[in-house]
Amino acid sequence: MTQAPPTPKAARRQHDREIISLAVPAFGALVAEPLFLMVDSAIVGHLGTPQLAGLAIAAALLSTAVSVFVFLAYATTAAVARRVGAGDLTAAIRQGMDGIWLALLLGVAVVAVTLPAAPWLVDLFGASDTATPYAITYLRISSLGIPAMLVVLAATGVLRGLQDTRTPLYVAIGGFAANGVLNVALVYGAGMGIAGSAWGTVIAQCAMAAVYLVVVVRGARRHGASLRPDAAGIRASAQAGAPLLVRTLSLRAVLLIATAVAARMGDAEVAAHQIILSLWSLMAFALDAIAIAGQAIIGRYLGADDAAGARQVCRRMVQWGVVSGVVLGALLILARPLFIPLFTSDTTVQDTLLPALLVVAVSQPIAGVVFVLDGVLMGAGDGPYLAWAMLLTLAVFAPVALLVPTLGGGLTALWWAMTLMMTVRMLTLWLRSRSGRWIVTGATR
C-alpha cells in the first residue's frame, strides 16, 4: 500500500522541525566564536592600554584572514549534504576530507606569509610606537593557530553537511571555556603578558581542531572513506570555494567602504557607526543560523533528487527569514533605551546613533530574506551566481556610499545606502530563486 504524501501543513511542520534542530545549535556556535576575542580583550585590557591597542590591531588582521576563508565551511557543507542526500556517506566524508586537506594547505600558506610580514601589516594600521610591539607579538604567535582555525571551518562544514550542528556547538563551548582558563593561567599565572593570551588562544584552537579531526576520522573509518589527500578532490574543493571567496571579499569591501565613509564624517559618526555595525553583526548571527540550516537541508534534498522538496523548504525558510527579521527589528527598537547607554554615555553619539538605528531596524526583514536565500543558493552549490550578484551589489553600493558625505548626508544616509545594498542583494537572490536555475539535482552539481 502506497503511503499518502504529507499534507501541506504536515510538510511545513516537518520543515520547521528540521530548520529548528539545525539552526538553534548553529546559532549557539556562531555566537560562541566571537567570545574568544571578548575574553582575550577583557584579560589583556587589565595589562594596559598599549597591550589592548596591540591586541585590537592584531585581532582585526586575524579575523579578516580567517573570515576570508569561510568558504571552507560553506562549500564543504553543500558538497557533503548532496552526497548525504544521495545516500553515499562514504563519498560524503571523502569530500569532507578533501576540504580539510585544502584548509591545512591554505593555513600553512597564510602562516608562511604572516610571520615575516607581521611588522608591515601592523604598520598599515598606523599603530602607535607603544602598541606596535604588542601587536606584532600577538599577531605572530596567534597566526600559528590559523591552520587549526581553517581546519575547524572545513570540519564544521563536514558536520553541517551530515546534518549535525550540535557537535560544532559543543566544540565551540569547550574551546571558549579552555581559551578563558588558558588565558588567565598564562597571562597572569605564568606572567607571560600578551604573549600568554596569544598562546592560550592557539592551544584552544588546536584542541578544537583535534576534536573535529577525531570525529571526522572516526566517521571515515566507520564508512571506509580514505583519509589520504587526493589532488583531484582538493582541486575540486578549491574550485567550488573560489566563487564564494569572491562573494566574501566583495562583502568585506562593502563593510570597509561604509566604515571609511563614516570615519570621514567625524568622531561621533564613526563611533555611532561602530556601535550599529556591532548590533547589525549580532543580528546577522541569528539570521545566518537559518542560512546554515538552509545550506544543509537544501543540499540534502537536491542530492536526493527531490526538486519539489527543495522548493518547498526554500519557501518555508524565506518565511522564517521574514518573520525573524520583523522580530529582530522590533526588539532593536524596543530595547534601544536599555542597550544604547551600555555602549556610550556621550549624548552626541547617542543622538547620531538613534535615527540610523531605526533604519537598521526597518531593514531587518530584508536582511532575513537575504541571509536565507544566500544559504539556499550556497546549499545548491550556486557559487558563481553568488559571486557575480555580490560584485554587482558592490558596484551599486560603492558610488552611492561615497557620495553620501559629498552631498552632505550623515550617518543615517549612510545606513540608507546600506539598506539599498541589502535590497539589491535581495532582488538578485530572489530573481535567482524564482528562476529555478539553482535547482540542479544529483550527488554532484
Side-chain angles (χ1 to χ4, degrees), residues 219-238:
R221 287 175 175 168
R222 189 182 311 121
H223 296 284
S226 174
L227 299 174
R228 295 179 179 178
D230 176 65
I234 294 171
R235 189 162 52 248
S237 294

Side-chain angles (χ1 to χ4, degrees), residues 362-380:
V362 170
S363 68
Q364 282 309 294
I366 297 173
V369 175
V370 168
F371 276 82
V372 166
L373 289 180
D374 211 33
V376 166
L377 297 185
M378 284 184 191

Side-chain angles (χ1 to χ4, degrees), residues 72-74 76-78 80-81 151-162 168:
L72 289 166
Y74 294 159
T76 305
T77 296
V80 171
V151 167
V152 166
L153 285 177
T156 299
V158 176
L159 295 181
R160 288 174 182 169
L162 294 171

